[in-house]
Amino acid sequence: MSIINENFYRLEGVVPLLKKMGDITQTSSPRRLWLRRFALLENLNNYYRFSVSSVMLFQESIQKSVNALSEDKKTDCFDDESHSSAIAFYSHCRVCLESSRLLFEEAIFSSANDDHAKLLQQHRDNYVKWAREVIEKRNDITAHPHNVRKMIVGSPSSWGTNGKVTFNIIDLEHITIPEKVYELDPAEDLLTLKKYTEEAVSHLRLIWGI
């Protein structure tokens, strides 16, 4: 399991880019376009930080549960804290993906350099399967948990020191409990989000020439 700590709060290249963009919004035309870009990147950066906080809380709560178990103490509150933090991560991650989509699509469309635009699009294509899986997780556990064929039961079935948490599901149409459980791995998805975003931002800087 990857241990997430405060070192993960920083997205490589984003803060310096935000500083440059802030300066550009004061001097460049079209100002409204740069303000839009700045707002989207700041939104992406902030929700990425929320994502990091959620995973850190998730892992800290799991450790508290482990410690409580070793002392024969109740773990309910720690279990709830870890699972709710895992669920929160996918909500924050979904916001990151939407902000990045809006940023990257506009950059590709407006790029004066086809090669740079193609590189960014290829990078996005490499992560499209992962992004769809994250969106599906977010939809299943927060937006639409009452899916008739796979309703997520609130109480988790298990969690482990491997950083994964699983939820029981029920088929409401046939009133059956499928053998398959619903599994989340927030730490690994956070690592992928960080890698995806940092490389994409490097492509943005080339497209924008800053």
Side-chain angles (χ1 to χ4, degrees):
M1 176 179 65
S2 299
I3 303 299
I4 306 302
N5 55 41
E6 60 273 10
N7 294 327
F8 283 82
Y9 276 115
R10 183 172 179 269
L11 279 171
E12 188 68 33
V14 169
V15 173
L17 182 56
L18 282 170
K19 174 69 168 60
K20 288 186 177 181
M21 293 172 71
D23 294 339
I24 290 173
T25 60
Q26 304 302 314
T27 59
S28 295
S29 181
R31 183 169 180 267
R32 292 179 66 182
L33 174 60
W34 281 104
L35 278 172
R36 179 182 185 276
R37 291 170 173 173
F38 178 87
L40 285 170
L41 186 59
E42 187 170 42
N43 173 271
L44 170 57
N45 188 53
N46 287 336
Y47 274 85
Y48 169 78
R49 291 172 62 86
F50 299 159
S51 298
V52 174
S53 292
S54 295
V55 177
M56 286 176 62
L57 286 171
F58 168 69
Q59 293 186 337
E60 289 169 4
S61 299
I62 285 179
Q63 189 56 52
K64 289 177 183 177
S65 289
V66 171
N67 295 341
L69 281 172
S70 68
E71 298 172 5
D72 292 326
K73 295 180 179 179
K74 289 185 176 181
T75 65
D76 297 33
C77 61
F78 302 135
D79 292 344
D80 289 346
E81 188 177 84
S82 65
H83 301 129
S84 62
S85 297
I87 291 171
F89 162 75
Y90 287 94
S91 292
H92 301 325
C93 188
R94 177 66 181 92
V95 176
C96 293
L97 292 177
E98 181 63 14
S99 295
S100 64
R101 181 187 70 80
L102 293 170
L103 266 175
F104 303 157
E105 286 183 354
E106 184 273 322
I108 291 168
F109 179 77
S110 63
S111 176
N113 187 307
D114 288 343
D115 291 336
H116 292 333
K118 287 179 181 177
L119 285 173
L120 177 54
Q121 185 57 56
Q122 287 171 2
H123 175 67
R124 295 182 69 210
D125 291 344
N126 291 338
Y127 285 84
V128 69
K129 181 177 181 293
W130 166 80
R132 286 174 179 168
E133 289 174 351
V134 166
I135 291 170
E136 182 180 0
K137 291 174 185 176
R138 174 265 182 183
N139 289 343
D140 286 346
I141 61 176
T142 63
H144 311 291
H146 295 90
N147 184 315
V148 172
R149 290 295 181 86
K150 54 173 183 179
M151 188 188 84
I152 306 296
V153 178
S155 53
S157 59
S158 70
W159 53 260
T161 52
N162 62 354
K164 297 180 181 180
V165 58
T166 58
F167 290 82
N168 288 321
I169 57 178
I170 185 171
D171 183 331
L172 289 179
E173 183 176 356
H174 303 99
I175 318 300
T176 58
I177 300 176
E179 291 184 7
K180 183 180 178 181
V181 294
Y182 201 90
E183 184 176 84
L184 302 177
D185 192 346
E188 286 306 307
D189 282 326
L190 176 63
L191 292 175
T192 305
L193 174 64
K194 180 177 173 64
K195 183 178 179 182
Y196 167 67
T197 305
E198 288 180 340
E199 186 172 340
V201 166
S202 69
H203 290 301
L204 274 184
R205 299 190 70 156
L206 290 174
I207 290 175
W208 290 341
I210 59 175

